[in-house]
Amino acid sequence: SFPTRCSSDLKGQTEGTLYADFIYNQALNSLGSDEVVAVLNDGSTNNLIVIACGDNKVYGYIIQGGSVQGSVIFRNDSLAGRYKAAIKYQAGLMRFFVNGVLINSTTPAGIPACNRIDIAKYPTIAQQGVNPINAICVFQASLTDAECEALTTI
């Protein structure tokens, strides 16, 4: 078992890197929909930086003020297995890495100020995912592309 909420030195930062190492198996998916792995947030669902998986995809997205600012999807028809994913975010930039590869980048209109992290659940929803999570880390700086590639290599 792991805690679903963590506090750290996240003080409204709008630049950083969210990393998750997890195993996904659709058969374990108890929610009947996609499962959240890690969510940086401000205690609401209006401001989020998310790594999630389900329906043969691993994806990351940013929501600020209730509107999607950036979304990137990695699709794999045989999704079951181990994944290392990272979202690198800073003003005007979101890059999504999965298993050592830059999947895509986008230019979000804004980055929300997040001060907490929820693990395997959204901040205001009690239901929690069940897929195994090996590690989650939040870097307070936006790592370089080379660092993100190395970090997410299996």
Side-chain angles (χ1 to χ4, degrees), residues 29-125:
N29 188 338
S30 62
L31 304 179
S33 63
D34 295 352
E35 284 199 15
V36 172
V37 178
V39 182
L40 289 175
N41 64 87
D42 65 355
S44 76
T45 55
N46 289 325
N47 296 299
L48 308 169
I49 299 171
V50 180
I51 294 175
C53 57
D55 191 27
N56 297 328
K57 63 184 180 273
V58 175
Y59 57 97
Y61 61 91
I62 295 173
I63 293 177
Q64 183 181 35
S67 298
V68 174
Q69 301 297 312
S71 178
V72 179
I73 296 173
F74 167 72
R75 192 154 198 80
N76 181 345
D77 290 333
S78 58
L79 186 63
R82 182 176 178 196
Y83 291 87
K84 290 184 173 185
I87 296 177
K88 168 184 174 172
Y89 56 94
Q90 63 192 54
L93 178 67
M94 173 191 165
R95 292 192 178 199
F96 190 54
F97 298 81
V98 177
N99 293 354
V101 177
L102 171 61
I103 300 304
N104 205 341
S105 62
T106 187
T107 306
I111 302 291
C114 297
N115 58 12
R116 83 179 217 183
I117 184 169
D118 282 283
I119 300 170
K121 65 181 284 305
Y122 283 106
T124 60
I125 300 171

Side-chain angles (χ1 to χ4, degrees), residues 134-152:
N134 300 320
I136 291 177
C137 186
V138 179
F139 296 88
Q140 292 184 339
S142 184
L143 300 179
T144 67
D145 287 357
E147 289 171 326
C148 287
E149 288 168 357
L151 181 67
T152 60

